[in-house]
């Protein structure tokens, strides 16, 4: 084990944190040792996670080295000002007509006082601590994973102090290009500060990792040495869940369209709800054999809107589930829903759940901008169809086509070329990059 090269992974999200953000480096850490790299995890001792998922603890390698320091976060203050500010921890907030004055004030404070985000208070103490840690411990490569993008400022400061340090900045989501950035109510000087810091990270990191093809291209245009390694699915998870019954397994099986995960207002496919309402109203056979299943945290205002429509009797809302149980629910669905932000600048976002959807072999219905990276993946794997937020009639035709196949017992798994997205193969790709460019 001592002959292995060491990689220090600086990440805010680590089990028992839930949600997609934790899984990328948890899975890399799981499979890196078989590729000659020993991970060391640096993470906060007392983080304020928006979601918890104890089931992910089983993926942490038994002998992994953990290094922790305390963090101070101002979220408790924000939540006292307005209860809906709890959404901030997950990068969500009310938009448009749903915004109260308290929400507007909180968003303005978040964007202009905490640059790049509210975890910025962990930067200085972490740099001070890790300077000493790096002197005493041989580390071959340092990785910072964001968001929160404050963590990249830890890498940037360490790189400036130790230019010989090999540093990878991993962007699970973009910084200034992310859809909600324009909703942050930034002053000109705050916007300039965000962009300046992002540029410094791009220029100083030895490598910038992107999770989508478009993001990697955009990062390169902005001065980064960027490579794309997408997220993926863990074959071990997929195999262990393929035979398990889901939570609604005792009910008669219906044609089930499922959304698994967190759904906020900025990614709300209103045209899908309209298409489903039309189908329920005009097609009694569909209405009697259809279930719209939610397993996750759905924005209250979205849920209220659907519950006040003709689809209200077809809803099965299971609430937030552990990652394990969420995968079980994917397995007992016929059509899996994925949504992205509608604007063209978000075409490079590939939601992590698409890969777990792919592993089930189920058909996928996707919403987002034209020419999205998700559309490219669905076409390559023949696993479903991507729609813009303007379509309604085409959506109805697609759903009805799948419903007819389901009725005849012909809706079978037919995804192809998905092995490239397994966590084991993606970690192998990461290790090849590390070995090629970061020789000890």
């Amino acid at each position: 084990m001592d002959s292995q090269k060491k990689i220090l992974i600086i990440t805010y999200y680590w089990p028992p944190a839930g949600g997609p953000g934790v899984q990328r480096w948890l899975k890399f850490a799981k499979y890196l040792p078989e590729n000659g790299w020993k991970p060391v995890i640096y993470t906060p001792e007392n983080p304020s996670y928006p979601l918890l998922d104890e089931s992910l603890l089983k993926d942490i390698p038994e002998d992994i080295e953990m290094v922790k320091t305390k963090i101070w976060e101002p979220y408790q203050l924000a939540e006292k000002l307005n209860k809906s500010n709890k959404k901030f921890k997950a990068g969500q907030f009310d938009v448009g007509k749903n915004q109260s004055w308290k929400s507007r004030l909180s968003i303005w404070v978040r964007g202009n006082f905490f640059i790049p985000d509210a975890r910025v208070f962990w930067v200085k103490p972490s740099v001070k601590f890790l300077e000493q840690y790096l002197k005493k411990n041989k580390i071959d490569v340092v990785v910072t994973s964001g968001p929160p993008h404050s963590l990249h400022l830890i890498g940037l400061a360490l790189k400036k102090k130790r230019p010989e340090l090999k540093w990878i900045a991993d962007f699970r989501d973009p910084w200034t290009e992310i859809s909600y950035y324009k909703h942050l109510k930034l002053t000109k000087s705050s916007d300039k500060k965000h962009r300046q810091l992002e540029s410094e990270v791009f220029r100083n990191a030895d490598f910038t990792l992107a999770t989508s093809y478009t993001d990697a291209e955009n990062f390169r245009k902005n001065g980064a040495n960027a490579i794309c390694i997408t997220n993926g699915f863990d074959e071990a998870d997929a195999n262990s869940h393929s035979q398990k019954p889901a939570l609604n397994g005792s009910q008669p099986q219906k044609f089930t369209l499922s959304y698994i995960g967190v759904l906020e207002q900025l990614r709300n496919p209103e045209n899908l709800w309209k298409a489903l309402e039309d189908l329920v109203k005009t097609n009694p056979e569909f209405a009697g054999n259809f279930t719209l299943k939610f397993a996750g945290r759905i924005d209250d205002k979205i849920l209220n809107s659907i519950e006040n429509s003709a689809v209200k009797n077809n809803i099965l809302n299971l609430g937030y589930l552990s990652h394990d149980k969420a995968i079980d629910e994917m397995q007992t669905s016929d059509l899996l829903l994925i949504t992205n932000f509608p604007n063209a600048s978000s075409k490079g976002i590939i939601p992590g759940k698409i890969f777990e959807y792919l592993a089930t072999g189920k058909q996928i219905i996707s919403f987002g901008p034209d020419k999205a990276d998700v559309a490219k993946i669905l076409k390559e794997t023949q696993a479903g169809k991507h729609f813009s937020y303007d379509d309604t009639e085409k959506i109805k035709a697609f759903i009805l086509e799948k419903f007819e196949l389901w009725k005849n017992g012909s809706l079978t798994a037919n995804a192809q070329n998905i092995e490239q997205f397994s966590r084991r193969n993606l970690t192998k790709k990461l290790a090849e990059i590390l070995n090629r460019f970061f020789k000890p």
Side-chain angles (χ1 to χ4, degrees):
M1 188 64 83
D2 291 339
S3 63
Q4 286 187 317
K5 290 160 287 205
K6 278 190 175 182
I7 180 167
L8 176 67
I9 299 162
I10 300 173
T11 177
Y12 179 82
Y13 294 103
W14 191 255
V22 67
Q23 291 174 48
R24 181 169 171 83
W25 284 96
L26 174 62
K27 300 296 186 178
F28 280 144
K30 179 179 176 180
Y31 291 115
L32 274 168
E34 66 188 47
N35 289 280
W37 286 83
K38 183 179 181 181
V40 178
I41 308 300
Y42 176 71
T43 195
E45 192 177 307
N46 55 326
S48 179
Y49 292 140
L51 297 170
L52 296 176
D53 187 346
E54 303 281 339
S55 76
L56 294 174
L57 291 165
K58 72 179 186 312
D59 276 326
I60 302 174
E62 280 183 23
D63 60 344
I64 198 163
E65 186 180 337
M66 299 290 300
V67 183
K68 297 183 179 184
T69 61
K70 281 192 163 62
I71 185 173
W72 182 81
E73 302 178 63
Y75 281 115
Q76 287 178 322
L77 298 176
E79 286 168 24
K80 278 180 184 173
L81 181 63
N82 186 4
K83 282 184 181 177
S84 72
N85 288 342
K86 287 184 179 182
K87 297 179 185 180
F88 284 2
K89 287 189 277 196
Q92 303 164 38
F93 35 79
D94 292 332
V95 296
K97 62 182 182 296
N98 293 322
Q99 262 186 21
S100 66
W101 70 268
K102 285 184 178 180
S103 287
R104 287 196 295 274
L105 174 61
S106 301
I107 291 164
W108 184 82
V109 169
R110 177 199 191 281
N112 294 286
F113 279 75
F114 308 127
I115 297 176
D117 49 63
R119 277 82 181 212
V120 70
F121 300 101
W122 198 46
V123 175
K124 280 186 180 175
S126 292
V127 172
K128 186 178 178 183
F129 174 84
L130 289 172
E131 261 193 287
Q132 296 306 311
Y133 181 86
L134 290 170
K135 282 178 186 173
K136 295 172 187 171
N137 298 271
K138 184 182 182 296
I139 295 292
D140 296 284
V141 178
V142 169
V143 174
T144 54
S145 185
H149 297 304
S150 289
L151 274 63
H152 296 313
L153 302 188
I154 298 172
L156 180 64
L158 292 172
K159 182 74 173 177
K160 285 182 175 178
K161 289 173 183 291
R162 298 169 66 103
E164 76 285 357
L165 186 71
K166 303 299 183 188
W167 169 39
I168 296 175
D170 175 62
F171 281 75
R172 299 188 320 279
D173 286 319
W175 186 333
T176 62
E177 293 298 318
I178 198 159
S179 191
Y180 62 72
Y181 181 80
K182 67 179 182 295
H183 293 282
L184 291 178
K185 306 183 186 301
L186 300 175
T187 64
K188 280 186 180 177
S189 63
S190 295
D191 175 56
K192 186 179 176 183
K193 184 78 184 293
H194 275 279
R195 294 182 187 280
Q196 181 188 344
L197 289 171
E198 178 186 50
S199 178
E200 276 198 77
V201 170
F202 284 156
R203 284 185 286 105
N204 284 278
D206 293 278
F207 273 99
T208 297
L209 280 184
T211 57
S212 77
Y213 319 114
T214 299
D215 283 351
E217 192 181 317
N218 289 340
F219 295 166
R220 283 192 287 270
K221 284 177 188 169
N222 288 312
N225 183 14
I227 291 174
C228 172
I229 298 183
T230 67
N231 287 310
F233 64 89
D234 193 337
E235 286 164 315
D237 290 340
N239 294 337
S240 68
H241 291 268
S242 57
Q243 302 303 321
K244 285 188 183 177
L247 295 185
N248 63 326
S250 58
Q251 299 180 4
Q253 186 58 44
K254 294 188 177 185
F255 177 69
T256 304
L257 166 59
S258 297
Y259 184 88
I260 314 288
V262 177
L263 182 61
E264 76 266 76
Q265 292 165 30
L266 291 171
R267 296 184 294 111
N268 181 22
E270 291 179 349
N271 53 337
L272 171 63
W273 314 137
K274 172 74 170 64
L276 291 173
E277 185 169 32
D278 289 353
L279 287 170
V280 165
K281 281 180 176 175
T282 60
N283 189 325
E285 188 178 26
F286 181 84
N289 288 281
F290 171 66
T291 297
L292 174 61
K293 180 167 72 177
F294 293 113
R297 201 173 60 189
I298 312 303
D299 186 275
D300 289 342
K301 293 182 174 70
I302 297 174
L303 199 56
N304 289 342
S305 171
I306 303 169
E307 285 174 341
N308 287 316
S309 76
V311 187
K312 63 178 182 251
N313 295 324
N314 300 82
I315 297 170
L316 175 64
N317 183 15
L318 301 174
Y320 179 74
L321 301 178
S322 70
H323 183 239
D324 274 5
K325 287 178 179 160
I327 292 175
D328 292 340
E329 292 303 326
M330 292 177 200
Q331 297 284 357
T332 57
S333 304
D334 301 293
L335 201 50
L336 293 165
L337 167 62
I338 196 161
T339 67
N340 197 354
F341 304 107
N343 47 307
S345 64
S346 298
K347 69 176 188 172
I349 294 175
I350 306 175
K353 74 165 77 56
I354 191 174
F355 302 107
E356 290 178 330
Y357 281 7
L358 286 174
T360 68
K362 307 290 183 177
Q363 281 285 292
I364 298 167
I365 182 169
S366 165
F367 290 86
D370 290 335
K371 298 178 182 175
D373 286 9
V374 165
K376 179 181 174 182
I377 289 173
L378 290 180
K379 189 174 180 182
E380 188 179 327
T381 57
Q382 296 185 17
K385 198 159 185 182
H386 180 77
F387 295 92
S388 76
Y389 280 86
D390 301 323
D391 295 321
T392 298
E393 291 307 313
K394 287 179 185 174
I395 295 164
K396 280 161 67 174
F398 177 76
I399 293 171
L400 269 180
E401 176 198 329
K402 301 304 173 191
F403 177 64
E404 290 300 320
L405 288 170
W406 172 85
K407 219 168 57 176
N408 301 327
S410 312
L411 188 59
T412 54
N414 61 353
Q416 303 172 7
N417 307 315
I418 66 168
E419 304 80 15
Q420 60 182 309
F421 299 118
S422 79
R423 294 285 190 183
R424 182 170 253 129
N425 285 335
L426 292 165
T427 307
K428 190 177 177 184
K429 183 179 176 183
L430 172 63
E432 284 167 0
I433 292 168
L434 293 171
N435 293 333
R436 191 160 70 240
F437 296 105
F438 299 137
K439 290 173 183 170

